[in-house]
Amino acid sequence: MEKTVNFAGHQITVKKQSAPPLSKEEVRQMLNAFESYRRAKEKTDRTVIENENWFKGDHWKYIIGEDKSSFAHRPAGSYLLNGIWHRHAEAMDNYPQPLILEREEGDRQKAQELSKVLPLVLEKSGFQSVYSDIWWYKLKQGSGIYGVFWDNSLENGLGDVSIKKIDLLRFYSQPYIEDIQDSKYIFVISLCDLEEARRRYPDADLKDSGGEMSLKSYFGTQDLKGRVCIIDCYEKVQNQNGRTVVHLTKLIGDKAVYSTKTDENLCDRGIYDHGMYPFVIDRFIPVEGSPFGMGMIDVGKNAQAQIDKLEYLIERNALISSRPRFLIKRDGGIDPEKLSDLSVDFIECDRNVDDSSVRPLQAAPLPSTVLTCRENKISELKEIIGNRDFSQGDTARGVTAYAAISALQQAGSKLTRDAITTSYRAFSDVIYMVIELISQFYTEKRSFRIIGDNGKVSYLAVKSNGGEDFSAAVFDIEVSAQKKNMFDALSHNEFVLELFKNGAFNKENSSAAIAAVNAMVIDNKQSIISSIKEAERENDNAGK
């Protein structure tokens, strides 16, 4: 008898359990580990919620603390938001694409197939949207988490790779480690309606949590009335052959409603053949002794707080200074209401009025040092988060030529390039897991439409041999930007034009041009070399 089980974002069809359920001691050990991991991560969870409030501009409660009387007007600057937005845009300008390279000549055809198929698999899984969300998340919170699963519900039941963003607030790993693959357990929690959970697991005798458990989110503590909290427990163990496998146990309350440990099909091989936790963490700034990192808000929020305080003082002084106010003696013989009524041309008074009866009250402007301090703090924040003006193409300094702007951008984008390189490493890990899933689950032939560089359409059929095909080969994964910003493209085009002007495509210069291009550090090197060789062949044919 078969049944479908949902595995934290993906579904798999398994046979009914034939082995006895997990012991109470095993379940208790998992729950104790979960509680230990949760307590160790409480500070990180609070930081995630606080950073999200900073991103939304709801951060004055962290600046003034319990003092609710001060700072009635609370300006919220957007310098952090602008820096995060700009860095995200740069990341999407360098959206990655994988190139699979073989290590042995016999695996060349497989590598070429994967290089063509993988972009299509990523496109079907909506990876570009996930990549964008991961970048937003890691810029704000310091870490973005990919979940790389197999979902049997896709492709009309045929199944396919599913890549998802995992909320950091719902993810728990062993504390004081840097690589989650070294963790004893990985826990991912989610919510499910009670009736839906009872339908999925009719033998579990599930009861309403009644709000006894709570799930932290951006919105605080959420009542679970009518819902249950599902804990997906991933665990690394050694099987009978000494191979490391990952098992998945689904816990609701103190019950294990499903476990691959007790499934006759999966008890020895685990959930996936690659034997890894199906998660990849992309960190922005690494933190020693933690799998998570720091984001731009962690780095810049102190400077943003100082800017907002100074902004408050400046705005308050401007409001007070711009409003006309007067000091009037109580026995001065003047009606204050008539004095404030601008429609009245004549104001009667009871006695002689002199400067001592009515005197304007004008607030003194703030000293220039306050404005200078604010500008310095803004510059400091831009420096801290790497969002300097010329990195956005600002021409205030008199630079207008695209080549000069591009040079300034390249000089000022070291932080961006470093972050993108780190992101590409995480992307390579994701691609490796995708290859492993294709090797394990693409047991039926699948056809992909391939569009070549010349626009020619071809079709490629891919079929694995249940883990003995692609995973048996060893590949290198090279990541490059699928699309680049306009200045990079113009710079590259200008370089090609310089090659043309200098005669690199002339027959007599082809050998020297190829040697020169090979020695250069440029993109699309092979394409340029192929063009030079093609021009050489055409010249030879014309000569004949």
Side-chain angles (χ1 to χ4, degrees), residues 239-262:
N239 65 6
Q240 296 178 354
N241 299 323
R243 178 172 172 266
T244 299
V245 298
V246 174
H247 282 294
L248 173 63
T249 301
K250 300 184 77 68
L251 304 169
I252 300 180
D254 58 353
K255 298 182 177 65
V257 297
Y258 178 79
S259 178
T260 55
K261 286 183 173 182
T262 59

Side-chain angles (χ1 to χ4, degrees), residues 296-518:
M296 292 180 69
I297 294 178
D298 294 306
V299 174
K301 61 185 176 184
N302 288 334
Q304 181 70 68
Q306 295 298 322
I307 294 171
D308 289 344
K309 286 181 180 179
L310 293 170
E311 188 71 34
Y312 166 80
L313 296 175
I314 294 171
E315 289 187 10
R316 182 174 174 81
N317 179 262
L319 291 173
I320 294 175
S321 301
S322 61
R323 181 181 178 182
R325 303 173 72 196
F326 300 91
L327 290 175
I328 301 177
K329 281 186 177 181
R330 292 180 180 177
D331 58 350
I334 299 176
D335 185 352
E337 293 184 1
K338 291 184 178 180
L339 183 64
S340 62
D341 188 355
L342 299 180
S343 64
V344 177
D345 295 328
F346 301 98
I347 301 175
E348 296 180 351
C349 56
D350 296 335
R351 58 178 63 87
N352 291 332
V353 177
D354 55 18
D355 292 343
S356 64
S357 300
V358 179
R359 182 161 57 90
L361 176 63
Q362 184 68 36
L366 290 174
S368 60
T369 54
V370 176
L371 298 175
T372 302
C373 182
R374 174 179 171 274
E375 291 301 319
N376 290 339
K377 281 293 178 182
I378 293 174
S379 298
E380 176 188 342
L381 178 58
K382 290 181 178 180
E383 289 289 335
I384 290 173
I385 63 177
N387 193 37
R388 287 170 287 186
D389 294 338
F390 58 79
S391 67
Q392 302 186 52
D394 186 11
T395 59
R397 302 185 183 186
V399 180
T400 56
Y402 82 87
I405 295 175
S406 180
L408 285 174
Q409 283 188 321
Q410 292 297 324
S413 62
K414 293 182 177 66
L415 299 180
T416 298
R417 293 198 299 271
D418 180 65
I420 289 174
T421 300
T422 302
S423 182
Y424 282 0
R425 287 197 294 267
F427 178 75
S428 296
D429 294 338
V430 170
I431 293 300
Y432 176 77
M433 289 188 181
V434 172
I435 293 175
E436 291 292 326
L437 293 181
I438 289 175
S439 178
Q440 180 179 351
F441 293 104
Y442 271 34
T443 54
E444 297 185 30
K445 185 177 294 186
R446 303 178 186 226
S447 182
F448 293 88
R449 184 177 68 250
I450 309 297
I451 300 178
D453 294 335
N454 57 359
K456 183 179 180 181
V457 177
S458 60
Y459 295 89
L460 177 64
V462 177
K463 181 179 182 296
S464 71
N465 193 22
E468 299 178 0
D469 203 7
F470 297 112
S471 63
V474 179
F475 301 108
D476 291 322
I477 301 173
E478 183 177 296
V479 182
S480 61
Q482 185 179 96
K483 52 184 179 180
K484 299 183 178 181
N485 65 58
M486 180 184 64
F487 292 109
D488 284 340
L490 290 173
S491 178
H492 179 78
N493 294 342
E494 185 176 343
F495 169 74
V496 176
L497 288 175
E498 286 296 322
L499 287 177
F500 176 77
K501 291 177 182 178
N502 292 323
F505 298 97
N506 294 340
K507 174 183 177 181
E508 60 274 11
N509 300 329
S510 59
S511 298
I514 292 174
V517 171
N518 270 323

